[in-house]
Structures are given as C-alpha cells and as structure tokens.
Amino acid sequence: MRLYRVSSPQEVRQAIRDNFSALPAEVIDLEQAGGRVCAEDIIAPEDVPGFNRSTVDGYAVRAAETFGAGDTIPAMLKLTGEVRMGEAAPALPPGSCVYVPTGGMLPGGADAVVMLEDTETLDDLVNVFRQAAPGENVIRRGEDIAAGTVVIEKGRLLRAPEIGVLASLGITSLGVIRRPLVGILSTGDEIVPYETKVLAPGQVRDSNAPALGEIARRKGARILYGGILNDTQPVFREGIKTLLEQVDFLVLSGGSSVGTRDFTAQTLQELAGGELLVEGVSIQPGKPTLLARCLGKPVLGLPGHPVSAINIFSLFGVYVIERLSGYREESYQPVVRARLSRNIPSRAGRTDYVRVKLEQKNGMVYAVPVLGRSGLLRTLADAHGMVAVPPESEGVQAGKDVDVIIWE
Ligand code: AMP
Ligand code: MG
C-alpha cells in the first residue's frame, strides 16, 4: 500500500481555487438567466426611474411654498391638475399643486409631495397642514440605478432581484457563464443500476450517481451519467477517458479506497497532463478523496460510501461547480445556530462532520445528533444538517451552541 499525503479542507479548497476557473460565456435571454452567473459587468444604459416619482398619493408641490405650514396655519395652494399614470405630468404654475398618485411622475418644478392625509381640499383649493421638506416622498430620477454605473458585476449569481434590475433597464439578453456539464461515473463490481428490480447476492444498487447528480443539479450544473465501471484498471482508464472528454468536471464514486485507489490515482496521472492535487482529506466521513486535474479539467474521486460521497461532494464538488460557474464570491452555507442536546465525541486532527436533527422546544432550537453507524445512508436522510467539529477539538459538550450546516 502506497503512503499518501492528507490535505486539510482549506488546502483542498485552495487547490480548487488555484487550478480551476470559469468556463466560457454564452448569451441567453433574460428569462432563462435565473440561477446563472453573470459573465460581464452590466453597465446601466439609462437611469431608473427615468423620471422623478412620487412614493405616496398626494399633491406635488414646491416644498418652499409649504414652509411654515402647520396644524393651525395651512399653506393654501391652487389645485391646477392631476398626474395620470404613464403620462407626462402637467405643468406646476407657482402657488399651485397637482394631484399625483403613488408612482406618478412629478411635474417640472415640483420637489416634494404632501400626503393626502396632511391636506384638506375645498373645490380647487388645497390646504396643506404640514410643511414638506425638499425631496420628501419623492424617488429621484436615477436614484435606484444611475446611468453609467455597474449595476451587476461579473460573477454575480442572477436571482430574482437581479433579473428584475435587468428587466427595469430593458436588457433582454446577456452573457452568462456556461453551465458546467458534470459527468458522474460509479465504480465497483458489486454496483448495479438502481433500476435493477431484484438484486443478486452481493449486489448493491447505485445510490450515489442519482444522489450526487441531485446535488450538482441544484447547484445549476447539467449531468451526464456515465454508468458503472468494473474494478479493473483498463476499464477505469477507458471509462474515465471517454466521459472526461465529454464533460467539464468528472466525478468518480468509489475507486478511491484501498483496493482501487492506486490504479485510480495512476489512471488520473496518466491522462494527458494529469496531475494529482489531493490524495486524501482530513475529514470524517470522507477521508479517501482524490482530486486531480486531467485534460485541464477537475476530476474528483469520491469514496464509495454513500455518506462519505455525499459529504465530500457537498463540500468540494459543489465548490468545483462554483468555480467553473464563475462565482465571484464564495457562497456562504446557510447555518442555523442551535443548542447541542448531547455530547459529541470527535478525534483531534481531522474535521468531523456530525449529522444532527433540529428540534424546536420552548422557543429554543436544539441540535440532536442522529445516532447510528456513520456509514448508513438512512442517518443522513434523517438529519437536517451537519455540525463540523474542527480538527483542534476533541468533541463538543451538550448545552453548547453550534452552527448547523443545513442540507438544502
Ligand atoms: P469503495 O469506495 O469503492 O471501496 O466503496 C465503499 C463502499 O461504498 C462499498 O461498500 C461499496 O459497495 C459502496 N458503494 C460504492 N459505490 C457505491 C454506489 N455508487 N452506490 C452505493 N454504494 C456504493
Ligand atoms: Mg468500490
């Protein structure tokens, strides 16, 4: 058995950052852009709003003409018109006011809006019982988005608000990073397609491929399933090469444990320019993890244990997808702060990921460790998330508050 060097989780992330970057861009319609990553700085071609607007129902005024107005001495203004939505505002002669609905355009010369509640109307005369400050109840032209400014930076994930911003500017298509195509290969003589109705003795259904595919899909990737490889080096070599040529990122489930890791590692190194970046991670579950760069593309060799495979892929596979997708910033993981319900032991020198369920009791959120052997997939399905116990710690005591990384 070959000795191999174990990397810390930080070193693995560093290797991913150093070796892989965004895929090329493509232009797509705005309506298809949700969940994609912006490939260019978007500069606002115009102001939003394009005109000064009222934020309330009221009367557009010159603020100076209301100065000194109060409960007992109103300012008296002549009502000379009404703003219609979607139309240019009428003029505002001195000493007058114009009715304006919420969102309506302010007449030229108006610099404030008094709310209906602060006025009393007698025929064409409006008594204003409160003085307006300049700018009050007004959104100025360009206040939301100023023409010429970068409104969405390259590398930003396009969510609903970003889509709205782009639409408000009349942008109908834009450059986004191509969605990574992730190839997933399962390995193992005992592994059979999950559709297999009746298992022969010793056979195990391939649960990893669809589970990993789901994680990748949620991160915005497309998936190409490459089937199942038998545990021999020629089969590995051929299978890995064939799928790797078609995808942006190859994920191998299994084949990184004692019996097969040597020839997996060797196969990866043999592939054009293949370079092994990570040969093991100081994480439980999931230590026997391989990361390589082959044909300039990332290849992640996951331990076959379903719990380890999902844990490692969530930690590092997702990060690879983020890099390929061109994310500008590291995305944060949603965490819930919760009180640990019982002690969790942990070995120093590695990061332990402990499955927990969240329970709410008397207004408190508790993290309840899920019992059961660490290799069992069911315990993962029963958990809401994980508590990471750092390498310098030998466990966490009941009653302490912990961050629970939530499985989405
Ligand atoms: P390996 O890393 O190949 O030694 O696999 C470790 C364990 O995970 C073995 O018990 C395998 O049967 C199991 N395993 C490997 N691949 C899969 C898979 N695709 N789906 C379910 N279990 C798997
Ligand atoms: Mg195997």
Side-chain angles (χ1 to χ4, degrees), residues 186-187 190-191 204-208 253-255 257 303-306:
S186 299
T187 71
E190 77 284 24
I191 306 299
V204 174
R205 288 194 185 91
D206 180 4
S207 64
N208 284 348
S253 116
S257 61
H305 272 300

Side-chain angles (χ1 to χ4, degrees), residues 59-379:
Y59 296 101
V61 299
R62 289 184 175 78
E65 292 181 350
T66 68
F67 286 172
D71 283 345
T72 48
I73 325 156
M76 280 180 280
L77 297 170
K78 195 166 184 298
L79 180 59
T80 54
E82 182 182 337
V83 173
R84 292 181 189 282
M85 296 304 280
E87 292 180 19
L92 183 74
S96 72
C97 65
V98 162
Y99 175 77
V100 57
T102 302
M105 179 178 184
L106 253 64
D111 61 353
V113 179
V114 288
M115 291 206 277
L116 279 185
E117 295 88 311
D118 295 324
T119 66
E120 199 178 76
T121 310
L122 301 159
D123 299 328
D124 64 347
L125 210 63
V126 176
N127 286 328
V128 177
F129 293 100
R130 215 169 68 76
Q131 70 173 25
E136 197 170 332
N137 299 323
V138 174
I139 298 179
R140 300 182 57 76
R141 170 181 183 150
E143 191 175 320
D144 195 357
I145 302 165
T149 56
V150 174
V151 67
I152 294 170
E153 309 86 3
K154 174 180 174 175
R156 272 262 287 269
L157 178 65
L158 300 171
R159 308 162 306 160
E162 284 83 2
I163 299 294
V165 161
L166 293 164
S168 75
L169 290 166
I171 293 172
T172 55
S173 64
L174 74 159
V176 296
I177 304 295
R178 181 155 70 67
R179 290 171 68 192
L181 179 60
V182 178
I184 299 180
L185 269 179
S186 299
T187 71
D189 293 338
E190 77 284 24
I191 306 299
V192 295
Y194 73 87
E195 298 94 330
T196 306
K197 285 271 183 290
V198 182
L199 297 174
Q203 289 185 334
V204 174
R205 288 194 185 91
D206 180 4
S207 64
N208 284 348
L212 301 172
E214 171 62 10
I215 296 171
R217 195 187 57 76
R218 277 175 172 252
K219 212 52 219 182
R222 293 172 303 134
I223 319 296
L224 184 59
Y225 292 107
I228 300 163
L229 305 180
N230 287 120
D231 284 328
T232 66
Q233 190 162 16
V235 172
F236 264 49
R237 193 182 295 129
E238 197 44 42
I240 290 173
K241 188 167 174 290
T242 305
L243 195 58
L244 184 59
E245 279 166 358
Q246 302 171 61
V247 300
D248 301 307
F249 172 22
L250 180 64
V251 179
L252 275 174
S253 116
S256 65
S257 61
V258 178
T260 46
R261 64 170 299 122
D262 284 355
F263 64 75
T264 306
Q266 203 187 327
T267 303
L268 294 179
Q269 278 170 312
E270 278 168 16
L271 275 167
E275 187 190 348
L276 214 49
L277 305 169
V278 172
E279 304 182 80
V281 193
S282 53
I283 279 184
Q284 161 64 34
K287 183 179 173 186
T289 292
L290 297 171
L291 175 69
R293 193 182 60 196
C294 308
L295 307 175
K297 300 172 184 179
V299 180
L300 187 60
L302 302 171
H305 272 300
V307 171
S308 306
I310 289 177
N311 192 42
I312 293 294
F313 193 65
S314 300
L315 291 169
F316 305 118
V318 163
Y319 190 49
V320 171
I321 294 173
E322 286 182 4
R323 287 296 295 169
L324 297 180
S325 304
Y327 279 72
R328 168 190 159 95
E329 286 158 30
E330 311 236 325
S331 64
Y332 62 87
Q333 268 181 308
V335 297
V336 169
R337 194 89 181 138
R339 187 148 297 174
L340 197 60
S341 73
R342 43 188 294 275
N343 295 346
I344 44 183
S346 161
R347 197 168 348 127
R350 65 180 193 198
T351 306
D352 273 304
Y353 285 84
V354 180
R355 277 146 273 181
V356 299
K357 230 178 142 89
L358 292 174
E359 281 176 16
Q360 230 159 356
K361 242 183 284 167
N362 311 320
M364 278 284 301
V365 183
Y366 290 91
V368 182
V370 177
L371 301 174
R373 291 254 289 278
S374 69
L376 306 180
L377 187 53
R378 172 69 186 278
T379 61

